[in-house]
Amino acid sequence: MRKLNGGDVFAALRLMRALDLTEPIKAIGKQLEQAKTKDDKTAAGLQFLGTLLENATDPKAEELIWNFLAGPFEKKNGAAAKAMEINELADAVGELMKENDLAGFFGKVRRLIPMK
């Protein structure tokens, strides 16, 4: 497992555009700004993951999610991330959330998308 880095930005941008996450991420960003405790920040991160999963309704979106996760999970590609044993995957998602401010990361990436 590695921390998110600059190499993850373009995978995140593709994911956000395909799943139309710009508005939900803006709302979660406001929630993060108001967060007073680590638990509040964790709740925002969980809300982000929930939103991501709610919007992942087609195979293309699923592929983009796996491709994004392959980076921090240090997998060769999205198919390798998808093939992870379920307990390993759950632990990896938990560690990803613990080691990274996912909502903050996607909030910063969102700013790279021009407003329409």
Side-chain angles (χ1 to χ4, degrees):
M1 173 74 64
R2 67 162 174 76
K3 286 191 162 270
L4 293 171
N5 63 39
D8 299 313
V9 169
F10 293 102
L13 281 168
R14 285 188 291 275
L15 181 60
M16 289 174 64
R17 281 185 177 258
L19 299 182
D20 193 25
L21 294 176
T22 54
E23 289 306 313
I25 288 173
K26 189 187 296 184
I28 292 168
K30 288 179 184 176
Q31 182 181 350
L32 274 174
E33 289 173 6
Q34 297 170 353
K36 293 182 175 35
T37 67
K38 188 174 182 177
D39 286 343
D40 292 342
K41 289 182 180 183
T42 300
L46 287 172
Q47 182 180 348
F48 170 74
L49 284 178
T51 300
L52 183 68
L53 293 174
E54 285 175 17
N55 290 337
T57 57
D58 64 60
K60 178 70 175 163
E62 179 184 344
E63 181 182 346
L64 289 167
I65 292 168
W66 289 119
N67 287 338
F68 172 76
L69 291 174
F73 289 176
E74 298 182 286
K75 298 296 181 185
K76 183 177 180 178
N77 54 36
K82 183 178 181 178
M84 292 171 70
E85 187 270 331
I86 193 68
N87 289 327
E88 178 189 8
L89 176 62
D91 290 345
V93 169
E95 186 177 342
L96 179 67
M97 288 181 57
K98 181 180 174 186
E99 297 295 321
N100 297 275
D101 174 9
L102 287 180
F105 171 79
F106 276 91
K108 289 177 177 107
V109 170
R110 181 192 59 79
R111 293 183 204 140
L112 298 173
I113 298 173
M115 300 305 268
K116 295 177 182 177

